[in-house]
Amino acid sequence: MYDINVFEPFRRRGYGSAILAAAEELVAHEGRTALALDVVGGNEAAIAMYRHSGYEVSSMSMRKNL
């Protein structure tokens, strides 16, 4: 999964978690056993939501602007 976007005025109301739960249900219904997602490293709110939903870091990409 690449993007879950909730407009700023509606954040922290459970919409992101609901979207994620619905996606998980759809993926499981298709017989899949895992769901992977990308998250921007500095997006602490999203990282916290994903961790709360049981996601763990499986890989990491790093970069440095020169």
Side-chain angles (χ1 to χ4, degrees), residues 3-14:
D3 286 317
I4 293 178
N5 292 305
V6 177
F7 291 114
E8 182 71 34
F10 303 102
R11 292 183 184 158
R12 304 204 51 84
R13 296 184 187 185

Side-chain angles (χ1 to χ4, degrees), residues 15-55:
Y15 294 120
S17 296
I19 293 166
L20 186 58
E24 291 172 353
E25 185 176 326
L26 287 170
V27 170
H29 187 283
E30 292 180 355
R32 308 292 181 172
T33 59
L35 178 62
L37 52 85
D38 289 333
V39 60
V40 175
N43 191 341
E44 298 298 329
I47 292 168
M49 179 188 71
Y50 297 138
R51 287 189 187 278
H52 182 75
S53 296
Y55 288 80

